[in-house]
Each structure stands twice: as structure tokens, then as C-alpha cells.
Amino acid sequence: MELVKQRDNVFDNLKAILIILVVFGHIITFLGLDGIFIKIDILIYSFHMPLFIFINGYFCKNFDKIEEKNIKTFITFIIFNTLYTIMFYDVEIINMLAPIHAYWYLFSMFFWKDLIKYAIKFKYSIILLILLSLYVGTINDINRTFSISRTICFFPFFVIGYYFNEEKIKKIRKIDKKITIPILVVTLIVTYFLFTNNNYFLELFQNAQSYHVTGVSNKFGILIRLLQIIIAMLITICMINLMTSKHLKITNIGKNTMTIYLLSPFIQKELSLRIINNFPDILENTYYSLSICIISTIIIVFLCSRDIIFNIYNKIIEFIYKIFIKH
């Protein structure tokens, strides 16, 4: 009888926290909140996508299964990117080369999974990829087409995750928490006070465009991107060390992050439009706005993380895969 490998609660718990931050951050964006909310968003963006991508790289070691999963990733991107565009944009501007909203992640993931087998053939691949990510921001024409900027800039985190194995994770887990807690707290505080005083830091941390388009010099942009890599890796190591391996109430959320990521933009967009159009004054109050963000996040994450939703999604993608892909 084949043994089924038990899921790692550490990573499921981490993914649960990260997807909650993703949903919370997207609600801030959809509602057009500013002030303290932009500061929170910048702090979230300083590490949440790098850590998410690191985790995906960590679990991307079985090349025999990557191809099939990668095709399904691309099918998923086509379906949801197109549906979202039809629902909320002019149908005439559908452009598969320009992923909409959160769906850039699926598009980039398709390339990361395909490129990883080539990247690891190079000596010092991580250093080379970091240098490339710093350089690509100096190209003024780099933009969201093909999600090329994000694909290149976040690829180092995917490769770093790939090079981490179970033994290295265990070593991180053994680090004294009296060391990692202060490091995490100091890193978050320094990040908050250094990088939340101007809105362009949010665009810099998103890595979606050139330094010039963001409105900063190449030297400054390179410095910030390098600091983001350092900050993100420090927080990644600390969070892996501190995260419990116990099965929590949020663990199942971490198991079903894909459906949360796919479905939440539809709910967030529709909900935010209704709030903005019908209750615009409520958003002028910080406490009401914060309450809306928190409650919306809880409801969306709860609904989209249900096993029945995740199973339906898998069956649909599997059905489409069998129709169009030769075996």
C-alpha cells in the first residue's frame, strides 16, 4: 500500500497567514484607502510575496510532476484572468500578455516552474538572478506585459526556496527563538519607519515596473530592491523558525490557498464597488475602514477556503486538462 506523505503544518500555517495578508492588502487597494492603510500595505508587501514564492520553490523539486501541474497552472490563469477581465473591464481590452490584478502570480509561476531546471544548472545562480533582478529595473520599458518585471525580480526567491531542503529547514527551526523574535520585531519596525513615509515604496516592493516609471533614480531603486531582498529573507527565516507545527484552526486555510487567491478578487472588487458607491462617507473614518477590512478578510477567507470549493476547482481544472492535453 502506498503511503501518503503527511502535510507539513508549518508551511500550511505560514501560507494561511500569508493569504490572509494578501486578501487584507487587496481590500485596502480596492477601497482606495490611504494614510495608515498604505503604510500597512507597504509593510505587508515587503515580505509576503517573497515568502509565498520561497515556499512554492521549496515544494518544486519533483520535476516529473512539474510539467502537468504547470499546464494546469496556465489553464487556471487563462480561465480566471479572462473571467475577471470580462466582469470588470472592457471586453475589447482583454490581453493575455497583461495579467490582471492578482493573476500575475499564476502567470509568473508558470515561467518559474519551467525555468527552475535551467537556473539550477548555473553556478552561483542565486547571485546571478539577484543581479538580474536589480538590473532589470533600470530598463525604462520594463512593464506588466507578460508580468516580466515581477517574473524576473521574484525569481531569486523561488530558486532560494528550491535550494532549501528539509535538513536546512530543521536547522532554522532549531535556532533559539530568543534570537529570532528580536530580529523579526526589529526588522518589521525598521521597515515600517524607513519605507512607509512615501507611497512609491509600495510600487517598488511590488516590483511591477522600472525604477524610472516609479519615479525614483536607478541607484535608489537598486538600493531599495536589494534591501527588500534582505528584509524578506530575514523575515522568511524568522517566520519559519517561529511558526508552530501544530494543527491549528487556520491550517486548513493554508491547504486551500489557491481557491482563496483565485476567487477573492471577484468578491473584493464587487464588495468594494458597492461600498464606495453606496457608503462613501464610511471610508473617511479610519476605525470603520479598518473594521470593514478585517471583517471582509475573515468572511472571504472562510468562504473561499472551504474544502468543497477547493475540490470543485480541482475537478474543473482536471476536466479541462483531460479535454485539451494529449497524454
Side-chain angles (χ1 to χ4, degrees):
M1 184 176 68
E2 184 180 357
L3 294 176
V4 179
K5 186 177 180 180
Q6 188 176 3
R7 292 187 66 92
D8 192 328
N9 289 336
V10 171
F11 286 102
D12 279 339
N13 292 337
L14 279 173
K15 288 166 63 181
I17 291 175
L18 293 173
I19 199 64
I20 290 170
L21 292 176
V22 167
V23 174
F24 186 83
H26 285 169
I27 292 174
I28 291 175
T29 301
F30 278 122
L31 292 176
L33 300 175
D34 53 16
I36 185 64
F37 293 98
I38 293 294
K39 294 178 182 291
I40 294 172
D41 219 11
I42 291 172
L43 189 62
I44 291 172
Y45 265 95
S46 69
F47 71 90
H48 79 317
M49 291 315 301
L51 178 47
F52 233 135
I53 294 163
F54 172 92
I55 293 173
N56 277 279
Y58 176 75
F59 286 105
C60 190
K61 293 182 173 62
N62 191 340
F63 288 164
D64 293 334
K65 295 183 179 180
I66 284 179
E67 184 175 357
E68 179 179 335
K69 290 182 178 180
N70 216 16
I71 294 173
K72 291 177 181 178
T73 297
F74 193 70
I75 291 172
T76 300
F77 164 75
I78 293 175
I79 292 172
F80 284 90
N81 195 67
T82 304
L83 285 175
Y84 189 84
T85 305
I86 292 173
M87 286 185 64
F88 299 110
Y89 291 84
D90 186 343
V91 178
E92 295 180 359
I93 66 168
I94 293 180
N95 180 5
M96 298 311 298
L97 306 185
I100 302 296
H101 188 49
Y103 302 115
W104 70 266
Y105 184 73
L106 293 174
F107 201 74
S108 294
M109 183 62 67
F110 172 79
F111 287 103
W112 294 331
K113 288 182 177 179
D114 193 55
L115 293 173
I116 183 65
K117 57 180 175 287
Y118 303 108
I120 60 176
K121 293 181 179 181
F122 287 87
K123 292 182 178 180
Y124 316 112
S125 57
I126 295 174
I127 295 176
L128 292 174
L129 288 171
I130 289 175
L131 292 175
L132 179 60
S133 72
L134 298 177
Y135 165 73
V136 76
T138 66
I139 304 174
N140 292 343
D141 294 331
I142 201 80
N143 53 40
R144 298 171 189 266
T145 302
F146 266 121
S147 189
I148 188 168
S149 180
R150 281 168 163 158
T151 301
I152 294 173
C153 292
F154 285 118
F155 193 33
F157 297 104
F158 190 86
V159 177
I160 292 171
Y162 171 85
Y163 278 122
F164 268 71
N165 53 30
E166 191 173 345
E167 183 181 347
K168 291 179 181 177
I169 295 298
K170 286 181 178 179
K171 288 182 178 179
I172 291 176
R173 301 275 296 161
K174 290 179 180 178
I175 299 174
D176 192 341
K177 290 177 173 51
K178 293 179 181 178
I179 297 175
T180 53
I181 291 175
I183 292 176
L184 178 61
V185 171
V186 170
T187 303
L188 290 173
I189 291 174
V190 170
T191 302
Y192 181 84
F193 283 104
L194 282 183
F195 303 115
T196 60
N197 59 341
N198 198 304
N199 290 358
Y200 60 61
F201 284 113
L202 180 59
E203 294 182 342
L204 285 172
F205 286 166
Q206 290 174 342
N207 294 315
Q209 57 197 21
S210 69
Y211 308 132
H212 174 75
V213 173
T214 305
V216 300
S217 68
N218 287 338
K219 289 182 180 179
F220 186 77
I222 288 172
L223 174 62
I224 298 305
R225 186 161 292 177
L226 183 59
L227 288 174
Q228 184 192 15
I229 293 172
I230 295 171
I231 289 168
M233 286 312 303
L234 278 174
I235 295 177
T236 293
I237 291 171
C238 290
M239 290 187 69
I240 290 173
N241 171 264
L242 296 172
M243 183 53 61
T244 179
S245 60
K246 295 180 180 178
H247 190 282
L248 307 175
K249 290 184 178 180
I250 65 169
T251 304
N252 196 61
I253 294 173
K255 183 169 66 74
N256 296 336
T257 53
M258 179 59 80
T259 48
I260 302 172
Y261 202 86
L262 294 173
L263 299 175
S264 61
F266 292 88
I267 303 173
Q268 292 163 339
K269 183 71 173 180
E270 185 62 33
L271 179 62
S272 62
L273 288 174
R274 291 183 179 275
I275 293 174
I276 292 171
N277 293 332
N278 298 317
F279 310 100
D281 295 338
I282 200 172
L283 297 177
E284 295 179 4
N285 186 295
T286 301
Y287 297 105
Y288 288 157
S289 298
L290 180 61
S291 299
I292 290 172
C293 290
I294 293 174
I295 294 171
S296 300
T297 298
I298 292 172
I299 293 174
I300 291 170
V301 170
F302 176 79
L303 292 176
C304 297
S305 65
R306 298 301 88 194
D307 285 336
I308 186 172
I309 301 295
F310 188 77
N311 292 334
I312 291 172
Y313 155 74
N314 276 331
K315 288 180 180 179
I316 292 174
I317 298 301
E318 188 67 31
F319 175 74
I320 296 172
Y321 178 82
K322 288 180 178 179
I323 290 177
F324 291 103
I325 305 301
K326 292 181 179 180
H327 290 276

